Amino acid sequence: MAYKYNSSLFLGETLGGKPSPVFFDPHTCILNNRPPTTVITGGPGSGKTYMLLNLVAQSAILGKACVFLDPKGDALGLQALSKDLGNLKFWNLAGRGQKGILDPFQMPIDHESQRLELIINTVEMFVGNITEDQRTRLGAIVEDVMREQVPSLLRVVEVMIMHRERDVRNLGNRLSLISKMKFANLCFAPGRKGFKPLSLDSGVTIVTMPGLKLTVDSKDGMSGEERISATIFFLLTSMINGMLYSSDVSMRKILVIDEAWAIAGNSAGSKVIKAVAKLGRSKNMAVILASQNQSDLMGEDIDTTISTRFAFATDYKEAANITKSMRLPTGQGFEQILTSLSPGECLMEESTSDDGRSRYSTMKAVVISPRWDEAFRTNPEDVRAREKKRRKQAAAKKNPT
């Protein structure tokens, strides 16, 4: 069967020989019943974020609804393109009025069994591993709280602290301490009536998380602050997954997760990404994951959801991982190609069939508009120059000569 194409985005030109234009659309894989995930990897300054922002901006112009989880604030440069992109919204999790916004009791989930699993996973991510006995007791408490008029995760903690069994009380006290830490009130707050989740309508919604300290599982474990950050990332993705059930299938949607290792680095998070990708194919939503290292996204839960990869410059160890993931022969020079790429250059793989056939190309990212090129540059020097220019323009408008 011939591979189908729909609207495509101009991303750049091929390298080697006479340059040819490179077009790509994250929804082409869905049109061909392929896994809906695109992965972009590369080290700092390689061009990874530049490509990511270009994909988001062009998708918005084509009328797609884009939700961008942006923990580092790299997408703030898109403000300069607000007239081009139309409906551009910023959701600052550190802003006012966000208490309880990520309470799993408030997530748009149809099946209560799924809500129960989400809440238990949330508690376990906050505190680390819990015993089977604690899990059983916690499940019973959560089911009781779910029957209340305005349930909340904070209410679960209150019940646990008053429980007759010491293990449950201890777990409740640990959660109580966590609930008082920075950003924890996003999840721990009194129940809210008339809760309205994030809308997946047209335009670009950028979710910013200034101050979150991201990490992955390690032998040394995570601090309480790091656990909160990982759990918030997990709940944000879970929220969007739940919203897909009621979304308009005809509306093309894109979920973009920058620093995706922060959620993919734990089992619960990688399963959520797999669930989003699985549902995304039927709900017309593409997924774009960006991370510095391919190894962060090599778990089976995630790998089977990927159709397209853009690999920017990296070190030799990561180049070997990428070569393997792209099903290229090892030791044949592909590792050297990946380590020698200049900023803005990448190796692209697009899987076109279930039998392992793919198309490959080395390419250079190109943006025709100088304004867009400036907005997509995120290194500190470019950001400072852009901000200086913005202040100068604002002063000129305020005090015209």
Side-chain angles (χ1 to χ4, degrees):
M1 183 181 295
Y3 199 66
K4 303 175 184 177
Y5 293 92
N6 54 2
S7 59
S8 290
L9 319 178
F10 172 68
L11 296 186
E13 297 175 337
T14 57
L15 296 172
K18 184 178 180 180
S20 298
V22 176
F23 294 93
F24 172 72
D25 188 331
H27 279 87
T28 298
C29 53
I30 296 176
L31 182 66
N32 289 275
N33 199 32
R34 305 288 300 136
T37 304
T38 297
V39 166
I40 305 176
T41 59
S46 64
K48 165 176 61 72
T49 303
Y50 189 94
M51 172 73 78
L52 190 64
L53 295 176
N54 189 21
L55 281 169
V56 170
Q58 291 201 60
S59 295
I61 285 184
L62 289 177
K64 300 181 183 183
C66 304
V67 178
F68 191 164
L69 305 190
D70 179 31
K72 296 188 302 181
D74 285 338
L76 294 177
L78 293 180
Q79 293 178 92
L81 307 180
S82 58
K83 291 183 179 179
D84 298 338
L85 305 184
N87 189 11
L88 178 63
K89 299 166 288 185
F90 287 86
W91 179 22
N92 181 5
L93 291 181
R96 295 181 179 180
Q98 305 302 314
K99 291 183 178 180
I101 197 77
L102 294 179
D103 188 330
F105 279 94
Q106 305 292 345
M107 298 285 179
I109 298 175
D110 288 341
H111 303 290
E112 293 307 300
S113 61
Q114 295 176 343
R115 188 182 305 281
L116 176 63
E117 182 181 5
L118 174 62
I119 294 168
I120 292 175
N121 284 339
T122 299
V123 169
E124 190 159 19
M125 289 190 70
F126 272 129
V127 302
N129 293 330
I130 61 177
T131 66
E132 282 302 316
D133 187 58
Q134 287 176 324
R135 178 181 288 271
T136 300
R137 299 292 187 274
L138 174 61
I141 292 172
V142 170
E143 288 180 331
D144 287 341
V145 172
M146 287 168 66
R147 299 187 187 99
E148 296 185 5
Q149 187 174 3
V150 187
S152 69
L153 190 58
L154 184 61
R155 175 60 180 155
V156 170
V157 176
E158 293 171 349
V159 174
M160 293 176 73
I161 290 174
M162 301 300 294
H163 201 273
R164 63 181 181 276
E165 296 186 17
R166 178 181 297 178
D167 280 353
V168 179
R169 292 199 303 272
N170 289 341
L171 183 58
N173 286 324
R174 290 172 63 190
L175 285 170
S176 180
L177 289 173
I178 290 172
S179 72
K180 296 175 176 62
M181 297 179 68
K182 186 179 180 181
F183 288 110
N185 62 6
L186 292 169
C187 311
F188 297 93
R192 301 170 57 165
K193 289 185 176 181
F195 174 82
K196 293 183 179 180
L198 179 69
S199 175
L200 276 179
D201 55 7
S202 61
V204 180
T205 300
I206 298 171
V207 185
T208 61
M209 313 166 219
L212 279 179
K213 185 177 181 181
L214 302 179
T215 189
V216 292
D217 290 340
S218 66
K219 294 179 180 179
D220 298 329
M222 291 189 286
S223 67
E225 182 182 5
E226 291 168 339
R227 285 197 177 279
I228 289 172
S229 298
T231 307
I232 286 172
F233 225 36
F234 164 74
L235 288 171
L236 274 169
T237 309
S238 297
M239 172 189 280
I240 295 169
N241 182 39
M243 290 166 60
L244 282 173
Y245 283 101
S246 57
S247 65
D248 182 359
V249 177
S250 65
M251 169 65 73
R252 290 183 296 172
K253 300 167 285 289
I254 299 180
L255 170 62
V256 180
I257 305 178
D258 197 6
E259 304 299 329
W261 54 266
I263 182 171
N266 58 78
S267 59
S270 62
K271 288 179 181 177
V272 167
I273 290 179
K274 182 178 181 179
V276 170
K278 183 178 179 180
L279 186 60
R281 195 177 340 187
S282 62
K283 291 294 185 176
N284 206 10
M285 186 178 85
V287 180
I288 302 177
L289 306 177
S291 189
Q292 288 192 21
N293 298 323
Q294 173 66 41
S295 56
D296 299 330
L297 307 173
M298 289 182 69
E300 183 178 350
D301 283 333
I302 297 176
D303 196 60
T304 56
T305 73
I306 299 171
S307 280
T308 306
R309 290 178 170 87
F310 294 91
F312 288 81
T314 187
D315 58 35
Y316 190 87
K317 181 179 179 181
E318 282 303 316
N321 289 329
I322 292 168
T323 300
K324 181 179 178 181
S325 296
M326 289 187 173
R327 298 181 296 277
L328 291 167
T330 59
Q332 299 297 313
F334 292 103
E335 296 88 349
Q336 285 77 13
I337 290 174
L338 288 163
T339 57
S340 62
L341 292 168
S342 299
E345 297 178 351
C346 67
L347 175 61
M348 175 185 178
E349 179 211 8
E350 185 177 21
S351 174
T352 58
S353 69
D354 291 326
D355 60 8
R357 285 178 293 175
S358 294
R359 284 194 291 263
Y360 302 90
S361 178
T362 51
M363 61 165 289
K364 181 176 179 60
V366 176
V367 172
I368 297 175
S369 166
R371 287 192 308 107
W372 282 41
D373 174 76
E374 182 181 13
F376 297 159
R377 296 186 179 275
T378 58
N379 71 63
E381 289 185 6
D382 288 329
V383 171
R384 284 193 294 268
R386 186 166 60 236
E387 180 60 19
K388 183 178 180 180
K389 180 180 179 181
R390 186 194 66 78
R391 288 197 300 265
K392 187 176 180 179
Q393 291 174 339
K397 289 181 179 179
K398 186 176 181 180
N399 301 302
T401 55

